[in-house]
Amino acid sequence: MDLFSFIDCANRKQSLSELFDLLVGSAADEGFGEVAYGALNYAETVRLPEHPPSGYCCKLSA
């Protein structure tokens, strides 16, 4: 799938799960066995001591 087709398909997804499945599948089609992702504009938020920070990225096999 070329980049423009990927963007078109991504814009039509109705859930984050569908979008992530598209990302993992497209990466696998390109020969990647793993996907890592994270916010590029992450700004640390104020957190209560009993709540750990959320993860920055995940490593999943395709």
Side-chain angles (χ1 to χ4, degrees), residues 15-56:
S15 72
L16 291 176
S17 177
E18 289 178 346
L19 182 58
F20 189 73
D21 289 345
L22 175 66
L23 174 64
V24 171
S26 296
D29 291 347
E30 294 296 322
F32 293 96
E34 299 175 337
V35 174
Y37 69 96
L40 297 177
N41 60 348
Y42 180 77
E44 183 65 40
T45 57
V46 177
R47 298 193 184 278
L48 299 174
E50 63 271 12
H51 296 284
S54 59
Y56 298 114

